[in-house]
Amino acid sequence: MFMSKKYRLCLLAVFAVFVSEDSHAQDPKFLFPVSCTYGVDCWPVNYVDVDPSEGVATDFKCKRKTYDAHQGTDFALASVTKMREGVDVLAAAAGQVLRVRNGEADTYKEQNELDAIRAENKDCGNGVLIDHGDGLQTIYCHLKKDSIVVRPKQKVKAGQKIAQIGMSGYTEFPHVHFGVLWEGGFVDPFTGALNTKGCGQMKANMWLEGLPVSYEEVIIFDGGFRAKVPDFAAIKRGNDENPIALPLSSAAFVYWSGFYNVEEGDEVVMRIYDPEGALFHERREVVPKTRSLQYYFAGRKIGRVQLKPGEYKGVTEIKRGSDISRKKEFSVQVK
């Protein structure tokens, strides 16, 4: 999700965020704000931009997993289908609800609809602002329409459900934007440092000890099989779900995967294995352009080579130089 500098003004104007520079919480710690398994069915897609320069975007690792003026962390789901099933957003710490906005649409939007949202200063969409005392506040954006279950002035416990992940506001995929306001500005929860301090700074990790909240450079977030070239626009909108099984009579056999944060020069390797473990098909592709969201597919027409009954396995791997390698598997029954 791309947002301009105007997004900051939206948060301040709509949710009336005020942070004291004089009083501070002592070493605050947060629970993970989503009821999901980190790195399995939800992922951090964009981190806080810690470079205050206009037109420059840098995350706390001095890399590019963010965009200009982004003031929170985006935790994304694999698909709109998962969003519709319902994934809870949780209060990261105990506190009192200050502001709530509900009723904004959380469907996939065309560019003209996104432009209208921005013009109305509703980039955050449906949101909840929680005060934790001593100048510490957290904000949760892009919540599902009518999923918010808390109200202003209500006290909440750490880990209490407050809403569900949606696609409201200025966004192109289902996620929650989690922002931390402290010490007079926006703070990166991975470092505890203000977003004006630059990269490579570490004040204090704000996640509770033991939480598996790691830095993710590139993510294989979804995948599956089709009997034809996938309609990625329909998949993105949640209108084309993976089949449980494919027929032996399929005219084609195609395996696809979706990626967050691929970069120019990354190598995508996609392999399909038949029920006997033999290699059925392989595709290798060097990514030509850096993109936050990307899809690839591999497969072949069925004719001279026939399908066999049983489980086919797809294995996707992303390679980035000699340092980064990610691998994920998907399977389907053919009968």
Side-chain angles (χ1 to χ4, degrees):
M1 175 188 59
F2 171 80
M3 288 186 185
S4 69
K5 187 176 181 180
K6 188 175 183 180
Y7 181 62
R8 292 177 294 184
L9 302 179
C10 172
L11 288 178
L12 294 171
V14 175
F15 286 94
V17 177
F18 298 102
V19 184
S20 170
E21 297 186 22
D22 299 320
S23 59
H24 313 300
Q26 297 299 315
D27 192 25
K29 297 294 181 182
F30 296 125
L31 291 171
F32 186 57
V34 184
S35 181
C36 61
T37 303
Y38 191 94
V40 177
D41 53 14
C42 64
W43 302 266
V45 176
N46 295 305
Y47 297 90
V48 176
D49 176 19
V50 298
D51 192 322
S53 304
E54 187 76 25
V56 180
T58 308
D59 66 26
F60 71 98
K61 289 280 191 177
C62 301
K63 298 184 178 181
R64 298 178 293 174
K65 306 308 174 189
T66 184
Y67 53 85
D68 191 26
H70 189 227
Q71 296 172 324
T73 308
D74 293 339
F75 296 108
L77 301 180
S79 65
V80 173
T81 299
K82 294 297 182 184
M83 180 197 81
R84 290 172 181 161
E85 292 173 358
V87 178
D88 293 344
V89 175
L90 315 174
Q96 185 177 44
V97 177
L98 288 182
R99 301 283 187 275
V100 168
R101 181 167 65 197
N102 204 352
E104 299 299 316
D106 59 355
T107 56
Y108 182 85
K109 307 169 189 71
E110 301 296 341
Q111 187 59 52
N112 64 318
E113 296 173 293
L114 292 171
D115 292 341
I117 288 169
R118 174 150 294 166
E120 295 174 0
N121 287 336
K122 292 184 177 180
D123 297 52
C124 181
N126 302 318
V128 174
L129 176 67
I130 299 177
D131 183 76
H132 305 285
D134 295 327
L136 177 67
Q137 299 174 353
T138 54
I139 190 166
Y140 311 76
C141 293
H142 312 302
L143 306 176
K144 184 189 292 186
K145 182 180 179 181
D146 299 327
S147 74
I148 297 175
V149 294
V150 294
R151 62 187 184 278
K153 299 184 180 180
Q154 178 180 340
K155 292 184 178 180
V156 293
K157 298 178 181 179
Q160 180 176 331
K161 176 182 175 180
I162 59 173
Q164 290 188 327
I165 285 183
M167 286 183 62
S168 61
Y170 198 103
T171 180
E172 297 176 305
F173 56 90
H175 73 282
V176 61
H177 170 101
F178 175 68
V180 179
L181 299 107
W182 189 40
E183 297 187 327
F186 287 89
V187 169
D188 189 335
F190 286 84
T191 66
L194 285 165
N195 66 338
T196 56
K197 298 298 184 181
C199 66
Q201 305 297 315
M202 176 58 73
K203 182 180 178 182
N205 190 321
M206 300 179 79
W207 301 112
L208 281 171
E209 186 175 353
L211 284 183
V213 185
S214 58
Y215 180 83
E216 299 290 335
E217 284 209 42
V218 61
I219 299 158
I220 306 168
F221 70 88
D222 202 5
F225 292 83
R226 295 290 190 277
K228 60 181 180 180
V229 174
D231 182 347
F232 290 127
I235 290 173
K236 187 176 179 180
R237 290 168 171 80
N239 297 328
D240 186 6
E241 299 182 19
N242 285 323
I244 297 174
L246 290 175
L248 280 167
S249 59
S250 296
F253 192 69
V254 181
Y255 168 56
W256 67 273
S257 288
F259 309 88
Y260 283 124
N261 299 333
V262 293
E263 292 185 353
E264 179 181 350
D266 289 349
E267 183 183 21
V268 176
V269 183
M270 302 183 72
R271 299 185 180 95
I272 305 172
Y273 295 92
D274 70 16
E276 297 175 358
L279 182 64
F280 177 80
H281 183 71
E282 178 181 88
R283 177 188 178 185
R284 290 176 175 268
E285 185 82 16
V286 175
V287 176
K289 184 178 180 180
T290 297
R291 293 178 179 173
S292 59
L293 176 63
Q294 178 67 287
Y295 295 93
Y296 279 90
F297 70 89
R300 60 195 307 177
K301 293 181 179 179
I302 303 304
R304 186 168 55 86
V305 176
Q306 295 295 308
L307 292 173
K308 303 174 183 179
E311 183 181 70
Y312 278 74
K313 181 171 68 174
V315 179
T316 300
E317 186 175 9
I318 275 236
K319 298 179 180 179
R320 179 173 295 167
S322 59
D323 299 327
I324 301 296
S325 181
R326 296 286 185 271
K327 184 182 289 187
K328 196 161 187 176
E329 298 182 2
F330 302 89
S331 62
V332 70
Q333 290 290 328
V334 173
K335 52 188 178 181

